[in-house]
């Protein structure tokens, strides 16, 4: 929040994409009050995430939404994907224009919005270091 305030990002209708480290409904509600939207991934065991959202078949979606515009969606792909959002609905869209495969719109937009941030972090484990880190 300090970074966003210092950078002048608050109250300007930006969309914030986060990884699951920062997930908090309290933070999402605060951002809504500051005219910002938020989308995130979350662990199903995280506090305040509904525990009954457990799809059992691949491609199945379960969700809950609140009166103030917060959505929590669980989608079973190759693994369980849980996403809170203050801007999305449970709408399903085509994964790619030429594909019949359907994905939740929040998942498609999250991947687009993160633009490789998660990818960079995941491949850093495969890059050999030439210096020993103390």
């Amino acid at each position: 929040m300090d970074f966003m305030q210092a950078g002048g990002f608050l109250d300007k209708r930006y969309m914030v994409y986060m990884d699951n480290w920062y997930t908090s409904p309290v933070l999402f509600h605060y951002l809504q009050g500051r005219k910002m939207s938020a989308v995130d991934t979350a662990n199903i065991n995280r506090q305040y995430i509904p525990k009954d959202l457990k799809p059992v078949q691949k491609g199945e979606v379960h969700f809950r939404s609140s009166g103030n515009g917060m959505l929590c969606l669980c989608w079973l792909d190759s693994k369980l994907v849980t996403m809170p959002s203050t801007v999305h609905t449970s709408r399903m869209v085509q994964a790619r224009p030429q594909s019949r495969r359907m994905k939740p719109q929040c998942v498609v937009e999250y991947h687009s919005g993160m633009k490789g941030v998660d990818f960079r972090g995941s491949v850093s484990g495969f890059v050999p270091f030439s210096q020993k880190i103390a």
Side-chain angles (χ1 to χ4, degrees), residues 79-99:
K79 62 181 182 174
L80 187 64
V81 177
T82 307
M83 298 197 74
S85 173
T86 59
V87 71
H88 293 99
T89 65
S90 60
R91 182 173 176 239
M92 299 292 282
V93 296
Q94 286 181 321
R96 292 187 196 100
Q98 307 296 319
S99 171

Side-chain angles (χ1 to χ4, degrees), residues 107-123:
V107 171
V108 173
E109 290 184 10
Y110 176 80
H111 287 296
S112 174
M114 288 298 280
K115 297 192 188 327
V117 172
D118 285 339
F119 176 74
R120 189 187 79 209
S122 67
V123 298

